[in-house]
Amino acid sequence: MTDATDATPFDAGPAPFDAVLCDLDNVIRIYDPAPLARLERAAGLAEGTTARVAFAPERDRPLLLGEITKAEWVETVAAGLVEREAGRLDAGRARELGAALAASPFRADEEVVGMLRRVRARMPLVLVTNATVELDEDLAALGLTDLAHHVVSSARVGVAKPDREIYEIAAARAGVPHARCLFVDDNLENVQAATGLGMSGVHYRAPDDLRAPLGFLLQGP
């Protein structure tokens, strides 16, 4: 059953949208948290501590807008960890944790990639992602440089989700009005921003969340 708070119902009938705008991280790209978690345990930190510090808006947003490099971001994360732990964590260990987060291994979810390749064959597909300037290299490492017709990266366009401008850029790249776009993201706030512009939305948690909205595109040979 569709939850009206985080998705748009999709009924049988004519195509409800003419383009798909899809997030990358935690939808298509899946990270392995295990290496960092081991380091956190060894440092006496709760798992997830480094990410909570790193993804605070004051540290994360400059990276996602292309204003600082990943190396500079790691330094801000290390400083934040040292401050948070009030002297219980030395700068060297904090820097190691920040670097491990930045280098977290990742893979593509092949089930989602398979569905999106079928979407691409039938309508515009645009990746809309809060990403670093290294996104092109990351997509190449994943073997996904040809997955989408267009890629809208926050670090390249200078605006990040949930700012309405990034959705407008993505719809323009697709060549489709807002009301004819489907937006997919694992972050509910980002989905709500898209639906507030008139788009259909899917709050993604697992591949099955895509089967109903994309069903008419997945049928046939």
Side-chain angles (χ1 to χ4, degrees), residues 133-145:
V133 294
E134 298 173 349
L135 178 61
D136 290 346
E137 291 82 358
D138 290 350
L139 290 175
L142 290 165
L144 298 180
T145 55

Side-chain angles (χ1 to χ4, degrees), residues 110-123:
E110 294 301 335
E111 185 175 2
V112 173
V113 169
M115 287 190 275
L116 293 178
R117 289 199 184 280
R118 302 193 74 172
V119 169
R120 188 192 194 284
R122 300 181 63 179
M123 65 175 53

Side-chain angles (χ1 to χ4, degrees), residues 96-107:
E96 180 185 21
L97 290 166
L101 176 63
S104 294
F106 55 77
R107 62 175 177 83

Side-chain angles (χ1 to χ4, degrees), residues 6-25:
D6 59 18
T8 302
F10 294 94
D11 300 319
F17 50 85
D18 298 315
V20 174
L21 316 180
C22 188
D23 183 29
L24 176 67
D25 289 332

